[in-house]
Amino acid sequence: RIDKLKQRLYLEDRMAKTCVKLPFFISSLGCFLVAISILVPTERVANVHRRLTDHFGLSRNNLESIRSFGDIYDYAAAFEGANGELQATSAEYWCEKRYFELTWSD
């Protein structure tokens, strides 16, 4: 019975110390959230996501139109072309046209 009382007093002591630390933690967390919202504005991130969705054709209507394996391969080829347009090191910008040809190997 004394052991239980000792555990209870220890727990209450720890809770009191935690209650003192809690406001500092909450204020630090609040400052962190404000800083993140200033450094990474959600509107700009949303605009980037919207542009990437449009560029790669990732809208629900485009993806729902894929019904067969042929459609998957067509979409993969279109996706690869769109990806090449965004990569500065892609063959679109660095390979000479006489050495580069976009075909599937049989």
Side-chain angles (χ1 to χ4, degrees), residues 36-103:
I36 286 295
S37 69
I38 291 171
L39 293 174
V40 184
T42 56
E43 184 64 30
R44 285 186 176 175
V45 172
N47 286 338
V48 169
H49 288 184
R50 209 171 294 121
R51 287 183 185 172
L52 287 174
T53 299
D54 293 341
H55 180 76
F56 286 111
L58 296 174
S59 68
R60 170 169 256 149
N61 294 334
N62 290 346
L63 296 178
E64 285 178 349
S65 66
I66 297 173
R67 300 279 184 205
S68 66
F69 286 113
D71 293 341
I72 291 173
Y73 286 121
D74 293 340
Y75 181 77
F79 189 91
E80 182 183 13
N83 195 29
E85 292 174 7
L86 292 180
Q87 287 182 344
T89 58
S90 72
E92 298 255 339
Y93 304 111
W94 289 97
C95 286
E96 287 191 41
K97 296 298 179 192
R98 63 183 175 176
Y99 298 121
F100 177 72
E101 185 177 309
L102 183 61
T103 58

